[in-house]
Amino acid sequence: MDIPRRLIELQRAVEAADNRYRSNAGENATVALAVWSDATAALVQGITDCAEEQGVPRREVERALEQAMRPPLPLD
């Protein structure tokens, strides 16, 4: 399954927001958590939209996105 670039960008935004949240404390962590929450909601909506457009279950899109985010295996 081809994963739209938008979903990859949304996944990267979630990961970046998660990293910011984990490295902050106090009020900064609260702001970072809100950013993470918004990014996660956008990703979930993007996955849902993609699944509906392609006529496949959401879980199939989630699995394909997970595979797309994995670094390529080195060639021997």
Side-chain angles (χ1 to χ4, degrees), residues 3-37:
I3 294 297
R5 183 175 184 86
R6 175 169 160 46
L7 287 184
I8 292 172
E9 291 170 358
L10 288 170
Q11 179 65 47
R12 287 182 179 149
V14 168
E15 291 170 3
D18 184 56
N19 289 336
R20 278 191 301 274
Y21 170 68
R22 291 177 188 276
S23 66
N24 280 292
E27 190 173 315
N28 288 338
T30 301
V31 171
L33 180 60
V35 170
W36 172 85
S37 180

Side-chain angles (χ1 to χ4, degrees), residues 39-64:
T40 300
L43 176 61
V44 168
Q45 187 61 55
I47 289 170
T48 299
D49 292 346
C50 181
E52 288 176 1
E53 289 168 9
Q54 295 191 20
V56 299
R58 284 185 32 129
R59 186 65 191 133
E60 189 174 324
V61 175
E62 290 169 349
R63 277 193 295 266

